[in-house]
């Protein structure tokens, strides 16, 4: 019987060929990183130290734009409005999202439908159409005043009152709770049921179970949502632009920081100052995120802690 012949395996490609193939597949991402992110980022950093109105050559001015910020009343007004918006809307949004996630986690019938219905506002919340709808809802003849009229209460123009205009945008941000809610719901599904069974055997109420089991086990998810929503709140633009008509009114009560950057860059064509404002926002977001990470070691608990 003739000896069996072994089939030869094709030689493995060399590491050099593998490296070339990897760069070919990575080239679109690397090209996008350079053209869309790195080069514009470097250009804006240079423009932040110049006087540039688009039509003329940038003139290097050093720290003149920073000195201008210190005496710019609208810069401080925009910073104050944005800070109040972030501090108030983000915690309210996360609390509302967590509350609904806990309710949906109790085995509600038609869970998939409610999950999709509650997630929809997060997809539409930053759109121009929803901002226009919000302007109509809180307008002088809007649905809110119509409802108050049924109760015998005379409404007001919520968007034209400086004391309530920002509150309407905070409500809009809280309404877009769907994205953190879905993430909370996924985190709740990862908590072992044995913990709750042991707590019930010990006679713990649902409130104590929530305080001593649900919240500690969810702290990594809470931290993740906090970072994402905080960064998103600092970058809010569309809602304020549409509702105020791009002015930030009334009396700069909805002048978000990003809206002020837009006004300086694309209305006043002061690109140098707008770039400096944008870099200040980037540094602030980075600093706030770093503080969150530093404080997380005191309240975020992981499985191996």
């Amino acid at each position: 019987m003739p000896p069996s012949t072994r089939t030869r395996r094709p030689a493995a490609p060399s590491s050099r060929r593998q490296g070339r193939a990897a760069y070919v597949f990575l080239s679109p991402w690397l090209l996008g990183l350079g053209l869309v992110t790195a080069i514009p980022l470097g250009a804006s950093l240079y423009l932040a130290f110049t006087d540039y109105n688009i039509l003329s050559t940038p003139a290097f001015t050093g720290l003149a734009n920073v000195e201008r910020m210190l005496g710019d009343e609208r810069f401080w007004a925009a910073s104050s409005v944005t800070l109040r918006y972030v501090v108030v809307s983000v915690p309210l949004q996360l609390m509302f999202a967590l509350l609904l996630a806990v309710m949906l986690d109790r085995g509600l019938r038609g869970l998939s439908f409610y999950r999709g219905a509650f997630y929809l506002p997060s997809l539409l919340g930053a759109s121009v159409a929803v901002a226009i709808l919000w302007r109509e809802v809180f307008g002088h003849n809007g649905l809110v005043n119509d409802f108050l009229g049924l109760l015998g209460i005379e409404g007001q123009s919520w968007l034209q009152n400086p004391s309530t205009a920002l509150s309407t945008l905070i409500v809009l941000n809280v309404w877009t709770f769907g994205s953190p809610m879905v993430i909370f719901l996924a985190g709740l599904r990862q908590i072992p049921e044995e913990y709750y069974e042991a707590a019930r055997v010990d006679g713990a109420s649902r409130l104590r179970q929530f305080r001593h089991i649900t919240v500690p086990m969810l702290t990594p998810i809470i931290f993740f949502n906090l970072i994402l929503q905080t960064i998103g709140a600092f970058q809010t633009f569309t809602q304020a632009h549409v509702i105020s008509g791009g002015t930030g009114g009334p009396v700069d009560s909805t002048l978000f920081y990003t809206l002020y950057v837009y006004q300086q860059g694309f209305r006043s064509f002061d690109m140098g100052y707008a770039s400096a404002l944008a870099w200040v926002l980037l540094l602030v977001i980075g600093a706030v995120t770093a503080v969150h990470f530093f404080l997380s070691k005191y309240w975020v608990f992981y499985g191996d802690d």
Side-chain angles (χ1 to χ4, degrees):
M1 190 173 181
S4 59
T5 58
R6 295 182 178 180
T7 58
R8 293 184 178 180
R9 296 181 179 179
S14 63
S15 58
R16 184 175 299 179
R17 286 186 57 191
Q18 291 179 343
R20 285 199 299 265
Y23 281 115
V24 169
F25 286 108
L26 286 173
S27 58
W29 182 84
L30 294 173
L31 191 62
L33 177 65
L35 296 179
V36 180
T37 303
I39 294 178
L41 196 64
S44 68
L45 180 60
Y46 168 72
L47 293 177
F49 299 97
T50 65
D51 180 13
Y52 179 48
N53 63 0
I54 300 180
L55 300 178
S56 61
T57 304
F60 186 79
T61 57
L63 297 177
N65 287 327
V66 177
E67 296 174 358
R68 178 180 170 184
M69 287 181 206
L70 299 178
D72 188 352
E73 294 183 359
R74 298 199 76 206
F75 164 77
W76 294 111
S79 301
S80 175
V81 169
T82 304
L83 183 61
R84 282 184 285 144
Y85 176 80
V86 172
V87 170
V88 176
S89 68
V90 172
L92 287 178
Q93 183 194 51
L94 293 182
M95 288 189 292
F96 196 60
L98 179 57
L99 176 63
L100 281 175
V102 171
M103 294 174 59
L104 292 178
D105 190 51
R106 298 188 179 277
L108 184 66
R109 180 176 297 179
L111 177 61
S112 299
F113 169 77
Y114 287 107
R115 187 188 305 163
F118 288 147
Y119 184 69
L120 187 60
S122 292
L123 299 177
L124 303 177
S127 67
V128 175
V130 170
I132 294 175
L133 174 64
W134 215 252
R135 186 174 61 187
E136 297 300 322
V137 168
F138 285 93
H140 185 69
N141 298 319
L143 294 177
V144 173
N145 286 341
D146 289 343
F147 175 75
L148 293 176
L150 297 176
L151 302 177
I153 302 175
E154 184 178 356
Q156 59 173 314
S157 183
W158 304 92
L159 299 176
Q160 299 303 319
N161 188 340
S163 61
T164 58
L166 181 61
S167 300
T168 62
L169 295 177
I170 291 175
V171 173
L172 174 57
N173 190 53
V174 174
W175 180 66
T176 61
F177 59 86
S179 178
M181 183 207 68
V182 171
I183 297 175
F184 279 138
L185 191 58
L188 288 170
R189 296 300 176 90
Q190 302 302 315
I191 301 177
E193 183 62 27
E194 291 80 6
Y195 293 168
Y196 294 104
E197 292 177 357
R200 286 192 291 267
V201 170
D202 291 338
S205 63
R206 287 189 174 182
L207 180 59
R208 295 194 64 182
Q209 293 176 34
F210 178 78
R211 288 179 54 191
H212 298 287
I213 298 177
T214 304
V215 172
M217 295 293 291
L218 274 184
T219 48
I221 307 298
I222 296 173
F223 177 64
F224 177 75
N225 274 330
L226 177 63
I227 294 295
L228 289 184
Q229 300 307 317
T230 300
I231 294 175
F234 270 112
Q235 297 175 332
T236 300
F237 170 78
T238 304
Q239 300 92 317
H241 183 272
V242 173
I243 287 178
S244 68
T247 64
V251 198
D252 289 345
S253 59
T254 59
L255 183 64
F256 284 8
Y257 195 94
T258 51
L259 181 57
Y260 187 51
V261 174
Y262 168 81
Q263 290 178 353
Q264 291 297 322
F266 296 96
R267 288 193 173 180
S268 301
F269 297 106
D270 194 347
M271 282 295 177
Y273 190 49
S275 298
L277 290 171
W279 270 93
V280 169
L281 177 61
L282 175 63
L283 294 176
V284 168
I285 292 177
V288 171
T289 304
V291 170
H292 280 320
F293 272 95
F294 174 76
L295 296 178
S296 66
K297 63 183 179 181
Y298 298 107
W299 64 274
V300 179
F301 306 99
Y302 297 96
D304 53 351
D305 290 345

